[in-house]
Amino acid sequence: MWYLLSRLANHRRFSNVGGFLVVPACYTAFFRLLKPVVILLMLLLPVAATADWYKQEESIMGTRIAVEFWDEDKHHAKQCAEQVFSEMRRIDALMSPYKPDSELSRLNQQAADEAIQISEEMFILLKKSLRMSQISNGAFDITFSSVGHLYDYREGIKPSEQEIQQSLERINFRHVVLDEKNHSVRFARSGVRIDLGGIAKGYAVDNGIAILDKCGIKGGLVSAGGDSRILGDRGNRPWMMGIRHPRKKDAVVVVLPLSNTALSTSGDYERFFIEDGKRYHHIISPKTGKSVATTWSATVIGPDTTTTDALSTSLFVLGPAKGLQLVESLEGIDAVIIDGQGRMHYSSGLMPPKTEAAPAGPEMRQ
Ligand code: AMP
Ligand code: MG
């Protein structure tokens, strides 16, 4: 695990964080299962006074949005945070599948009948979504919603086998046809629906960070549910970003020291219900129209949250073998996947070099 730590400190987006306490992986049955899992805690590092860290939280886009940044001028801080939250509300109004007058809902109502002109930003996000479908070999697919909309996780509602089979062929990102010249989109057949739930939060976080940057903020964090982006650092030290334990609400399985980077986690614990011992959750395999059962969570570290958000959903669907293969083919991306048995899989950027001897470092204490 010391290797992992060294890699994190040396990684170009990871800060050099100095001393750690490596806490042994021996506290819970889960930790025993997931060995060698450790919690990394930072010690004895200068911590900026909390008084000037401005924090604000709100519920938007069906999730918790948090903004935290360093600003000695409280009034200025509040203005900047307000701009971030109104940007989130604007994106929600545009892209929510639950708001009948959103641009996205208009597409779902009309794009199978005729080509619909769309806003520049919707066009760009649809294009990015289709690109993510291509690189993930169809694991990321916004037309998942053609079947996905039949689930209601709050109400414990799922489609019948017959309903799934009837709509399954409507899931295919190639059904979404973009026209660059006219800035329009058309669905190639009826019954196709799209949903940007796997990418829109990341996009909103990127826009939030751009606002803080414009405000002159040097160190801050914007997060929307499982998608976070860090601007700068946290007062000469990194932000300590925990990956949640997929089966224990307030526990973390690993903490990563990060600066100036984006981090997204997709988990089967976010929206789900359990029926007859089976978990029905919100990440849908485009091949089957059903919840993916082989992954508990997928975390991606990368340059921006639009990318890490779409990739975390993709890796969740792909699982560790294919998922990490994809990560290795991409520049500047790392990942941690927890599979359906609770085992952790790291990309090579977070793994020990196999041929080298272990450098001296803190021992894992039992
Ligand atoms: P995330 O938490 O970022 O993985 O996003 C999960 C959300 O992505 C779900 O609530 C759906 O809105 C959407 N989604 C589910 N399955 C897929 C899929 N296969 N491809 C793209 N988006 C998906
Ligand atoms: Mg995602």
Side-chain angles (χ1 to χ4, degrees):
M1 189 41 72
W2 179 242
Y3 289 118
L4 169 62
L5 223 105
S6 317
R7 279 305 298 238
L8 287 175
N10 292 333
H11 198 288
R12 64 187 161 83
R13 287 187 316 275
F14 298 116
S15 300
N16 194 343
V17 290
F20 282 99
L21 172 65
V22 180
V23 179
C26 60
Y27 293 118
T28 65
F30 181 80
F31 279 149
R32 277 194 291 278
L33 184 70
L34 294 186
K35 268 183 179 179
V37 176
V38 293
I39 294 179
L40 312 174
L41 291 176
M42 203 171 48
L43 282 183
L44 303 174
L45 288 167
V47 178
T50 50
D52 296 306
W53 282 94
Y54 183 86
K55 273 190 200 177
Q56 201 174 321
E57 284 186 17
E58 256 182 59
S59 256
I60 307 171
M61 298 195 280
T63 196
R64 194 186 66 104
I65 311 285
V67 176
E68 188 175 350
F69 55 94
W70 177 265
D71 194 337
E72 283 161 21
D73 179 345
K74 275 265 135 51
H75 181 66
H76 179 251
K78 196 163 171 43
Q79 276 182 343
C80 294
E82 277 309 329
Q83 282 180 45
V84 173
F85 287 110
S86 58
E87 173 65 1
M88 302 281 179
R89 283 188 283 270
R90 187 189 68 79
I91 291 173
D92 188 35
L94 204 68
M95 298 181 184
S96 168
Y98 306 108
K99 292 186 164 48
D101 54 348
S102 71
E103 188 172 18
L104 184 112
S105 294
R106 194 162 63 85
L107 289 182
N108 282 335
Q109 289 148 18
Q110 301 171 7
D113 299 329
E114 54 179 338
I116 303 291
Q117 294 236 317
I118 51 176
S119 62
E120 168 85 11
E121 82 182 308
M122 179 65 91
F123 195 88
I124 290 170
L125 208 56
L126 290 184
K127 212 168 147 182
K128 170 99 180 174
S129 298
L130 298 184
R131 172 91 192 107
M132 297 311 292
S133 298
Q134 273 158 358
I135 68 164
S136 68
N137 208 7
F140 186 85
D141 191 329
I142 55 173
T143 66
F144 84 90
S145 180
S146 308
V147 173
H149 83 281
L150 300 169
Y151 292 86
D152 186 331
Y153 303 101
R154 265 194 209 151
E155 301 294 328
I157 294 169
K158 61 180 193 319
S160 68
E161 194 59 42
Q162 198 194 7
E163 284 172 311
I164 292 176
Q165 293 318 318
Q166 271 169 2
S167 298
L168 199 53
E169 59 103 29
R170 295 169 177 160
I171 302 182
N172 189 333
F173 65 93
R174 293 177 190 86
H175 295 335
V176 179
V177 183
L178 295 181
D179 182 337
E180 289 270 0
K181 212 171 92 211
N182 296 317
H183 247 245
S184 65
V185 61
R186 184 176 58 79
F187 297 161
R189 61 191 67 199
S190 64
V192 171
R193 295 173 71 104
I194 59 169
D195 182 316
L196 295 170
I199 193 168
K201 287 199 296 294
Y203 171 69
V205 168
D206 278 338
N207 286 7
I209 284 289
I211 288 168
L212 291 189
D213 198 20
K214 254 196 184 158
C215 269
I217 303 302
K218 297 287 174 246
L221 174 100
V222 177
S223 67
D227 302 295
S228 305
R229 184 159 164 192
I230 298 162
L231 178 67
D233 58 20
R234 200 177 195 286
N236 296 324
R237 63 176 195 140
W239 289 79
M240 303 304 283
M241 304 297 290
I243 298 180
R244 211 201 103 149
H245 188 313
R247 292 293 177 269
K248 282 190 189 162
K249 201 165 181 297
D250 294 316
V252 292
V253 290
V254 67
V255 178
L256 303 169
L258 298 173
S259 297
N260 226 1
T261 197
L263 173 92
S264 291
T265 298
S266 295
D268 68 359
Y269 46 80
E270 292 281 358
R271 270 189 275 155
F272 71 97
F273 64 92
I274 292 179
E275 194 179 291
D276 300 330
K278 200 169 167 208
R279 182 179 291 250
Y280 296 89
H281 67 84
H282 67 145
I283 303 175
I284 302 292
S285 160
K287 281 193 187 137
T288 64
K290 296 176 187 172
S291 307
V292 175
T294 46
T295 311
W296 281 357
S297 80
T299 298
V300 174
I301 301 159
D304 64 87
T305 25
T306 311
T307 303
T308 56
D309 187 5
L311 273 178
S312 70
T313 311
S314 308
L315 296 201
F316 191 102
V317 174
L318 290 169
K322 287 184 180 159
L324 291 181
Q325 206 182 334
L326 171 59
V327 170
E328 301 303 339
S329 73
L330 301 171
E331 187 68 26
I333 303 289
D334 276 302
V336 181
I337 300 178
I338 305 182
D339 69 23
Q341 276 81 48
R343 290 180 301 242
M344 294 181 79
H345 305 259
Y346 296 91
S347 63
S348 60
L350 303 176
M351 283 295 282
K354 284 201 176 81
T355 49
E356 284 176 27
E363 295 297 313
M364 288 231 293
R365 282 173 262 151
Q366 283 298 319

